[in-house]
Amino acid sequence: MKVFSHKMNIADHMVLGAEKPVLFSGPCAVESYDICIEIGSTVKELAERMGFSYVFKASFDKANRTSSGSFRGIGMDDSLGVLERVGKELQVPLVTDIHESYQAAEVAAVVDVLQIPAFLCRQTDLLLAAGHTGKAVKIKRGQFMAPEDMQYAVDKVRSTGNNNVCLTERGFALGYHNLVVDMRSLPTMRQYAPVVFDITHSVQQPGGEGGSSGGQKQFAPFLARAAAATGVDGFFIETHPEPAKALSDGPNMVPLEKMEGFLSMLKDAWDLGRKHIDFTI
């Protein structure tokens, strides 16, 4: 299989698909400025020390929660205000999700990367709106999508004249409340665009806790090492100082206190994988 070397410009001097892996990391949702700045400042220092480029991640709205009673966010204006403040104080790029076409322009005025949620990866108007902003677009592969079919989502964004697009792997639905990662999807999708591996949501159990999602974070190190060795351009990790108290996706988060060891392990596996990334049969 011929895997092409694609690139995505994120910000000045930061490129996905270059010689440094990019780490997209932060809390699942914008809970508060204090939580975001604590996580962001900690992960930034670790990422820089371990050899990752760093993009701060937090969702301004969790529009796809299992239950209508689950936490969605603190409001669009307040959340974007927190993101903007964190980005300026830490001097790092930002990524957040959009769920509706009308959100694209307003969110793009604050963040550097627009993330398309997995459930919405086929929504043409949403992809086109994101592409038209000129910002980098990060598309999560739907749990129901074949990896080779993600080329069409990439094509939709590129049809706007915006070539800054990447794909994210987060597991396939296998029965109810379960996901499985097919490592073949990584080189398959790298034919079309740079690929990020979503460690957090690959161990999620969607709707697995009766009205909310569960997770099996104990498997995160195994999947992370496998993806790093298989060959990806970046990683997505949600983290929190107290995952049990996180307002979204706590069961599948890497605890903040474990991030140093986790990133060290991940970078070692990525470096090893890069030595053989061009080997084919």
Side-chain angles (χ1 to χ4, degrees):
M1 175 183 289
K2 175 66 174 176
V3 179
F4 296 94
S5 179
H6 296 281
K7 299 185 186 302
M8 182 181 84
N9 294 318
I10 296 173
D12 291 341
H13 311 298
M14 187 180 295
V15 178
L16 180 67
E19 292 305 309
K20 237 173 149 179
V22 177
L23 175 66
F24 301 83
S25 184
C28 179
V30 176
E31 299 180 11
S32 68
Y33 165 77
D34 290 340
I35 286 290
C36 287
I37 198 67
E38 177 185 357
I39 294 172
S41 57
T42 300
V43 177
K44 179 189 177 184
E45 188 277 326
L46 293 173
E48 290 178 346
R49 176 153 49 90
M50 308 253 177
F52 294 85
S53 297
Y54 178 52
V55 180
F56 178 80
K57 180 271 165 184
S59 297
F60 76 86
D61 179 25
K62 300 302 298 180
N64 56 356
R65 298 303 302 273
T66 303
S67 168
S68 62
S70 297
F71 174 80
R72 281 189 58 168
I74 59 174
M76 184 172 184
D77 290 343
D78 288 344
S79 291
L80 291 178
V82 168
L83 288 172
E84 186 171 28
R85 184 178 173 188
V86 169
K88 287 180 177 178
E89 290 185 16
L90 297 182
Q91 292 295 292
V92 296
L94 303 167
V95 59
T96 196
D97 309 82
I98 58 171
H99 299 86
E100 304 279 356
S101 300
Y102 74 85
Q103 297 172 340
E106 184 175 355
V107 175
V110 174
V111 307
D112 304 272
V113 183
L114 298 174
Q115 181 166 273
I116 307 299
F119 291 129
L120 303 178
C121 68
R122 289 177 54 135
Q123 296 298 102
T124 300
D125 289 345
L126 183 62
L127 291 166
L128 294 179
H132 280 303
T133 66
K135 293 296 180 78
V137 181
K138 180 177 177 290
I139 311 170
K140 288 196 172 187
R141 186 192 59 73
Q143 302 92 323
F144 46 87
M145 291 285 289
E148 58 268 23
D149 290 343
M150 291 304 295
Q151 65 183 298
Y152 305 113
V154 170
D155 290 345
K156 289 177 183 180
V157 173
R158 288 181 177 155
S159 74
T160 68
N162 184 350
N163 291 317
N164 281 325
V165 57
C166 73
L167 294 170
T168 298
E169 170 59 40
R170 51 85 32 89
F172 294 83
L174 181 67
Y176 302 120
H177 302 155
N178 193 40
L179 299 172
V180 64
V181 178
D182 179 357
M183 291 297 163
R184 296 174 298 178
S185 68
L186 302 176
T188 298
M189 293 196 299
R190 285 189 84 240
Q191 296 176 100
Y192 319 123
V195 170
V196 174
F197 182 61
D198 181 346
I199 296 167
T200 297
H201 295 97
S202 292
V203 297
Q204 186 185 56
Q205 295 176 303
E209 292 194 352
S212 64
S213 293
Q216 296 177 309
K217 63 186 176 185
Q218 68 270 27
F219 293 116
F222 300 98
L223 293 180
R225 290 196 297 269
T230 301
V232 291
D233 304 288
F235 302 93
F236 179 102
I237 307 174
E238 289 179 349
T239 183
H240 196 281
E242 296 183 89
K245 295 183 179 179
L247 300 180
S248 178
D249 272 350
N252 34 290
M253 284 181 171
V254 175
L256 189 60
E257 65 181 12
K258 297 283 189 179
M259 281 291 283
E260 181 172 7
F262 198 97
L263 292 179
S264 177
M265 171 199 70
L266 193 58
K267 186 58 165 53
D268 286 347
W270 190 84
D271 287 340
L272 180 62
R274 294 289 284 189
K275 292 181 181 179
H276 308 288
I277 199 167
D278 295 324
F279 179 80
T280 60
I281 57 173

